[in-house]
Amino acid sequence: MRNFIECINLNMFFFTIRSFFQKLVTLLFISIISFLVVYLAPGEPSQIDPLNPKFTPDDLVKFRQEFNLDKPLHVQYYLFYKNLFIGELKSWKDNQPVLGKIHERFLNSLWLFIVGTLITWCLSFPVGIGAAIKRGSVFDRTTTFFAYVLISIPSFFFAYIIIIFVVQTFNIPVIGMQTFGMAQAGELYRAMDRIWHLVIPSILGALGGIALLSRYVRAQMLEVIHQDYIRTARAKGLSSDRVYYRHGLRNALLPFVTMFGLILPGLIGGSVIIESIFAWPGMGRMGYEAIIARDYPIIIALNFIAAVLTLIGTFISDLLYMVVDPRIRL
Amino acid sequence: MESNNQDINSLHLGLADEISPAAAAWRIFKKNRMALAGLIIFIMFFAVAVIGFALTNGDDPVLDPAKVRLSEKLRSPLTPADTDMIKKEDFPVFGIYLLGTDDLGRDIFARMMQGAWVSLTIGFVAVGISIFIGIILGGLAGYYGNVRIRFLPVLSLIVFLVSLIFWASGQNSMALNTFIFSVVLSACSLLYSLMSDKGSGWAKKLDFLFFNTINVDSLVMRFVDVMLCFPSFFLILTVVAILPPSIYNIMIVIGLTSWMGTTRFVRAEFLTLREQDFVSAANAMGIKDISIIFRHMIPNAIAPVLVSATIGIAGAILTEAALSFLGIGVPPPHATWGNILSDGKKFLFDAPWLTYIPGLSILIVVLSFNLFGEGLRDALNPKLRKR
């Protein structure tokens, strides 16, 4: 037994080292691509507002000097990432440090993300397991159909329907993070207000995830309950609850351990539309605003951070998988 | 020999009738009612899109999606046109606004018909691009995966890419220098491969420049990993917003950011197919690699690609709608469902049909593509035939 544990640890140690360097190389290419995609596009940031009388040619020269735009491309690349890592990178629009801005918005997005993830995981598992156990039943067919509807519906369209419904039925405002001018209201009232503002966008953001994850849970569960050991468990005369939840579910859960790592990147990419509609001051909305304003530092930094999150996520999920399933050797 | 043949024949008689794979797949597909409905809606949508293209194009289209009638703003569906206020040639078909008008008095029916064609084109072209890249890269990784690339060719490729980057950023002299360097490097590699084939001792001395670096499979799959790291919608948004607004840019960008899944499928299929007997037989017969790949392997690997293509079209239509909604989608002369929806959001309470008609249309079409794709997946999956 001790031998076995040592073997795993050694294996994991080498895997960690190797994987770390692989990820580092990947990161290098990601940094190059995310930089070039934005910098090589036609047009310059100074061209956004050519009719602005305050933007004289002198200012343009100053602007280009200030943000290193007059230097060769590889020097710009080096300076960009150097500044990003030492936290000196400034937004082109308001000269605020990019990392500070992102941090501020990150805290706002984090709430949406946590609530959305909780809703997704708490709903998907019961629905998926139920659908798998009663395969072909009315419940299974209804949830399958609704899962497809949720995958297919344009999220902004659905968001408008929900906003109208909630605002007209419950008579509560849901746009933004809280209702304006509530400072005088009671503590409880304000808390309720914030929860309402949080819950609706979280649910809307989670819907696609619920649909996909519940389908995946169902597929996994179906895969497992057709295995021989489930038949053995049934033949032993165990109750069906025990068969499904102790023998079946435990094994069906295995792939989902890895998903804990993979949900990290959803923090940025998944939230652009929902945050725009609900005027939620989060990272997705900041990205959208930066894209419209051609604020290159923020766009590249967000793309880069999202990619880093994905890399960290895959790394964690690989490690988790090795811990949970000793058969895996990466 | 004679009796042997007879034995085989009699054996054959005992088996069930041979059915072609397509017929077997159709038999399973038919049982899935949702998928069948998806297929029917898919065909109907295709017909509507083609008819819409025919009716809304040309100098004097039957349905003019761009005709502005300022006196007929925000009419609800099925309103007859006001004969006193507008000219006779501005009349909608049948003299009635089937789906109402928008804030400029444009006929929503005509715009929806045009939008159907635009959505269909975007879906098909974007997925076509992504599948093309996916099959090429996946095929390379799957079939030539074990081939190791030598150092000097890799170096010349990298230098060539650097020269492209210099050229794109406008530093022409640097671009020319690096380009010439890359040409020299690739000429060297070519010369080396010619010389070493002849067994020249001179080429042997240069071997240290041609050590093996990375194999094709790792190269392609690491590139896939890099691309998968980007948040796809955010990347599409960035590129589309920065490029000049054009419908073609949107198709290309969606295509260029969604080929990773297909590459993985095709690679996996090729890896198993490569070891199969019929490929070994074809190899032994001296058939060229190109012919093996295109005549023998791709037809066998196409099933998962078809499924992911169907679902990919649905995704592309949704992405286009989302881009239009954010205001950086297909530029104005073209009407798309996403455009109509995003224009209509300002009149959500006054003219709800501007939101509900395109929204529900997108939902139904995307749903039908998804259902059809999933049905196809089940029908083409031999494992599921038993269940």
Side-chain angles (χ1 to χ4, degrees):
Chain A
M1 189 61 206
R2 220 186 123 194
N3 224 341
F4 175 70
I5 290 170
E6 269 172 12
C7 164
I8 284 191
N9 282 341
L10 211 60
N11 195 1
M12 268 179 71
F13 178 70
F14 282 125
F15 165 76
T16 316
I17 301 276
R18 198 155 42 93
S19 172
F20 181 73
F21 282 104
Q22 264 180 11
K23 300 270 193 282
L24 225 52
V25 175
T26 318
L27 201 61
L28 175 73
F29 282 101
I30 287 168
S31 72
I32 294 175
I33 292 179
S34 54
F35 180 79
L36 288 182
V37 156
V38 175
Y39 266 78
L40 289 188
E44 273 191 43
S46 51
Q47 283 179 355
I48 314 166
D49 208 1
L51 293 177
N52 186 350
K54 286 179 189 158
F55 215 63
T56 58
D58 285 351
D59 289 340
L60 187 60
V61 173
K62 260 191 232 157
F63 181 81
R64 289 171 64 93
Q65 268 172 1
E66 182 66 26
F67 293 108
N68 302 322
L69 287 171
D70 49 349
K71 302 203 170 63
L73 201 61
H74 54 279
V75 180
Q76 287 188 38
Y77 168 80
Y78 168 71
L79 287 175
F80 183 90
Y81 282 101
K82 194 190 96 186
N83 286 339
L84 178 63
F85 283 122
I86 61 175
E88 292 271 294
L89 192 67
K90 299 260 168 56
S91 157
W92 285 357
K93 289 300 151 195
D94 49 11
N95 268 344
Q96 295 295 310
V98 167
L99 283 184
K101 281 181 88 167
I102 291 180
H103 177 72
E104 191 184 308
R105 297 294 190 103
F106 170 79
L107 293 180
N108 291 340
S109 274
L110 198 61
W111 281 109
L112 269 191
F113 176 72
I114 291 172
V115 176
T117 310
L118 279 180
I119 295 173
T120 310
W121 287 67
C122 293
L123 268 181
S124 309
F125 276 92
V127 170
I129 294 167
I133 290 175
K134 294 180 197 136
R135 189 161 179 267
S137 67
V138 179
F139 178 72
D140 181 23
R141 276 181 288 164
T142 339
T143 51
T144 302
F145 183 72
F146 274 106
Y148 284 125
V149 170
L150 287 183
I151 294 171
S152 310
I153 199 163
S155 54
F156 46 94
F157 171 61
F158 197 46
Y160 276 120
I161 296 178
I162 294 290
I163 290 174
I164 292 180
F165 174 72
V166 170
V167 171
Q168 287 184 341
T169 317
F170 302 103
N171 202 13
I172 27 165
V174 289
I175 304 290
M177 279 181 81
Q178 54 193 337
T179 310
F180 185 69
M182 290 273 283
Q184 307 300 321
E187 200 61 41
L188 189 68
Y189 200 72
R190 254 173 38 213
M192 276 309 292
D193 182 61
R194 290 201 70 137
I195 289 173
W196 267 111
H197 279 87
L198 184 62
V199 163
I200 305 286
S202 308
I203 291 178
L204 279 166
L207 283 178
I210 295 173
L212 285 176
L213 197 62
S214 67
R215 296 291 299 159
Y216 193 43
V217 172
R218 176 178 176 274
Q220 276 302 322
M221 202 62 192
L222 276 180
E223 189 82 31
V224 166
I225 58 180
H226 283 275
Q227 301 280 338
D228 287 342
Y229 59 84
I230 295 291
R231 195 180 312 138
T232 313
R234 271 212 202 99
K236 282 198 300 188
L238 296 180
S239 71
S240 67
D241 272 1
R242 211 176 158 77
V243 170
Y244 286 130
Y245 294 106
R246 276 194 82 95
H247 293 244
L249 188 60
R250 276 189 175 188
N251 285 292
L253 277 180
L254 222 49
F256 296 100
V257 172
T258 64
M259 284 197 140
F260 272 119
L262 295 178
I263 53 175
L264 266 180
L267 255 170
I268 294 185
S271 52
V272 178
I273 289 183
I274 293 297
E275 285 183 2
S276 297
I277 291 176
F278 286 91
W280 189 270
M283 284 209 283
R285 188 174 150 80
M286 175 167 71
Y288 173 62
E289 285 163 356
I291 286 171
I292 296 299
R294 293 213 169 196
D295 196 351
Y296 288 4
I298 289 190
I299 303 175
I300 301 171
L302 274 180
N303 258 323
F304 185 70
I305 290 174
V308 172
L309 284 180
T310 317
L311 279 182
I312 295 174
T314 42
F315 187 63
I316 295 175
S317 64
D318 285 350
L319 280 183
L320 280 178
Y321 217 112
M322 281 177 69
V323 173
V324 180
D325 191 348
R327 289 170 303 181
I328 302 285
R329 287 184 157 218
L330 291 161
Chain B
M1 196 65 205
E2 189 77 1
S3 64
N4 228 350
N5 255 346
Q6 265 176 359
D7 276 356
I8 290 168
N9 279 338
S10 58
L11 261 178
H12 236 303
L13 285 176
L15 292 173
D17 289 342
E18 283 268 319
I19 48 167
S20 72
W26 173 244
R27 200 182 274 182
I28 297 170
F29 187 82
K30 256 193 320 192
K31 281 188 202 144
N32 189 344
R33 251 183 287 160
M34 286 203 294
L36 205 61
L39 177 64
I40 292 168
I41 296 174
F42 172 47
I43 293 170
M44 271 164 45
F45 170 63
F46 200 86
V48 166
V50 172
I51 295 170
F53 178 70
L55 290 185
T56 55
N57 259 48
D59 290 334
D60 185 25
V62 182
L63 294 164
D64 191 349
K67 178 71 74 191
V68 174
R69 310 174 187 82
L70 287 177
S71 59
E72 300 274 69
K73 282 183 197 169
L74 299 180
R75 293 291 146 108
S76 53
L78 296 175
T79 317
D82 191 343
T83 40
D84 302 332
M85 293 298 285
I86 55 174
K87 283 181 271 174
K88 197 157 191 324
E89 61 263 29
D90 287 354
F91 262 34
V93 195
F94 312 127
I96 149 179
Y97 302 112
L98 272 177
L99 299 177
T101 63
D102 65 2
D103 55 322
L104 292 174
R106 294 176 296 190
D107 187 8
I108 293 299
F109 181 63
R111 290 176 72 71
M112 289 294 291
M113 291 293 268
Q114 191 188 31
W117 173 255
V118 175
S119 294
L120 190 75
T121 337
I122 288 180
F124 271 81
V125 174
V127 169
I129 292 172
S130 83
I131 286 202
F132 180 76
I133 301 175
I135 286 185
I136 299 272
L137 285 184
L140 272 179
Y143 196 79
Y144 294 110
N146 292 333
V147 176
R148 288 187 166 269
I149 311 172
R150 287 162 190 272
F151 175 66
L152 216 54
V154 171
L155 191 68
S156 61
L157 184 72
I158 292 174
V159 174
F160 176 67
L161 288 179
V162 169
S163 83
L164 270 187
I165 290 167
F166 276 127
W167 177 71
S169 69
Q171 288 160 296
N172 285 327
S173 63
M174 283 293 275
L176 196 67
N177 287 340
T178 43
F179 180 70
I180 291 171
F181 187 46
S182 78
V183 170
V184 170
L185 282 179
S186 36
C188 284
S189 338
L190 204 68
L191 204 66
Y192 170 83
S193 64
L194 285 177
M195 296 302 270
S196 60
D197 280 353
K198 285 182 191 156
S200 152
W202 174 77
K204 278 239 168 61
K205 282 181 190 153
L206 282 178
D207 270 354
F208 72 94
L209 274 180
F210 291 85
F211 58 87
N212 292 330
T213 48
I214 186 172
N215 63 19
V216 176
D217 186 45
S218 327
L219 189 70
V220 172
M221 293 329 278
R222 288 299 85 74
F223 186 41
V224 168
D225 285 348
V226 169
M227 287 302 288
L228 279 176
C229 278
F230 289 105
S232 61
F233 185 69
F234 193 63
L235 188 66
I236 293 173
L237 200 68
T238 310
V239 180
V240 168
I242 286 176
L243 291 178
S246 140
I247 184 170
Y248 302 106
N249 281 340
I250 291 176
M251 295 177 197
I252 294 170
V253 170
I254 295 178
L256 287 184
T257 47
S258 58
W259 49 268
M260 290 80 80
T262 320
T263 306
R264 286 186 152 180
F265 285 135
V266 174
R267 169 178 173 269
E269 288 288 312
F270 266 45
L271 281 180
T272 49
L273 283 175
R274 199 176 61 184
E275 309 300 326
Q276 304 257 314
D277 288 342
F278 71 94
V279 176
S280 311
N283 257 324
M285 282 164 73
I287 299 176
K288 277 186 198 147
D289 280 357
I290 289 279
S291 165
I292 293 179
I293 291 173
F294 283 97
R295 298 282 302 278
H296 298 276
M297 287 173 80
I298 286 185
N300 280 296
I302 208 72
V305 176
L306 268 183
V307 173
S308 75
T310 320
I311 295 171
I313 292 173
I317 293 175
L318 270 185
T319 307
E320 184 276 318
L323 287 176
S324 291
F325 174 78
L326 289 174
I328 48 179
V330 179
H334 291 283
T336 70
W337 293 357
N339 265 343
I340 303 168
L341 189 53
S342 114
D343 291 345
K345 73 186 173 202
K346 285 171 278 184
F347 308 101
L348 197 52
F349 292 100
D350 302 325
W353 60 91
L354 287 179
T355 303
Y356 285 103
I357 289 171
L360 289 176
S361 309
I362 295 174
L363 169 62
I364 290 169
V365 167
V366 172
L367 183 62
S368 79
F369 273 92
N370 277 331
L371 290 176
F372 173 55
E374 292 292 328
L376 207 60
R377 186 201 303 270
D378 291 350
L380 294 174
N381 187 351
K383 261 197 231 160
L384 288 175
R385 285 186 193 164
K386 282 174 275 172
R387 281 188 199 158

